[in-house]
Amino acid sequence: MGRLVPAVTRAFDILELFLQSDETLSAPEITRRLGLPRTTTHELLTTLAARHYLTPVPGQPGRYRLGVRTHQLGSRYAEQLDLAAEGRHVAHEIAQTCDETVHVAVLEDLDVIYIAKVDSTHAVRMVSAAGRRLPAHCTSVGKMLLASLPEAELEARVAGRALAPMTPRSITDPAALRAELAAIRARGTATEHRESNPDVSCVAAPVRDGSGQVVAALSISVPVIRWSEERETELAALAAKGAADLSLRLGHRQGPR
């Protein structure tokens, strides 16, 4: 475990006081409760207020309440919880249909984080876990999510970054990745053939929220011993159905074609 940063720890100590206190707190109260030097308290409060995690109480100098940024973080956390819960429900339905491992993942920088997973009942199946992080360019969910980014945002994330391989089949050339993402946009689904695991192939489809933005991807993972072109076509359609069902649960309404 890495070293804790004292200043960051103290900042969180201040924020957590509001979990156990009245709506507002003064600088002297915070200093007393946490046993901090007055100068340290002042600097931390000034920083937290500048970043909108705290806000000064109008007409009450030196008193603070929680700022809008804490509300935004809480709302975002709630959204992720909803996405994970709904994702598990839909993943379970899709896994029952195909009896293969189903994941739901979100994008963070150039990684994907699996937020929901339902296992296949087969003895031979993909071994993974919710909460696992993998390089996006090596996975079907990751490539689907990268393909869904606006071009400028994709360039900002990829430019100058090394694409480390997970298997000999992983994409490591940025130009090859861009070509793959263009094909994914045209096709509407993403595939991965032994690029993150030498024994597994996957197919993924995009999950949209109420605004139409892609917020996650749903994938079906299959050991190569059960993979074929026919199976890929079948599972791509099923992944697209699952992603559409999850999108519907998140408030997305597809317009007329």
Side-chain angles (χ1 to χ4, degrees), residues 91-102 118-126 220-223 226 231 234-235 238:
H92 180 72
E93 292 179 343
I94 298 301
Q96 281 191 317
T97 301
C98 64
D99 198 15
E100 300 292 356
T101 300
V102 180
V118 176
D119 278 318
S120 164
T121 63
H122 289 291
V124 179
R125 60 182 185 267
M126 181 180 183
I220 302 172
S221 301
V222 183
R226 293 196 296 273
R231 186 64 166 156
E234 178 185 313
L235 293 179
L238 186 58

Side-chain angles (χ1 to χ4, degrees), residues 166-200:
M166 293 188 69
T167 76
R169 296 179 63 93
S170 301
I171 296 174
T172 57
D173 177 56
L177 177 62
R178 291 183 182 93
E180 172 79 356
L181 298 182
I184 289 169
R185 290 187 203 101
R187 190 169 61 239
T189 57
T191 56
E192 174 239 311
H193 298 298
R194 297 179 288 159
E195 296 168 48
S196 63
N197 182 318
D199 301 314
V200 174

Side-chain angles (χ1 to χ4, degrees), residues 1 7 29 38-39 44 48 80 84 105 113 135 137 144 147 157 169 188 199 232 235 246 249 254:
M1 180 177 176
E29 288 171 340
R38 283 182 297 176
T39 300
L44 289 170
L48 289 168
Q80 294 285 5
I113 300 173
H137 67 282
M144 187 73 256
R157 295 193 190 206
R169 296 179 63 93
D199 301 314
E232 177 182 344
L235 293 179
L246 180 51
R249 286 174 168 269
Q254 185 173 355

Side-chain angles (χ1 to χ4, degrees), residues 76-90:
R76 182 60 177 153
Y77 178 67
E79 290 169 7
Q80 294 285 5
L81 283 181
D82 290 344
L83 175 56
E86 298 295 346
R88 283 191 295 272
H89 182 91
V90 172

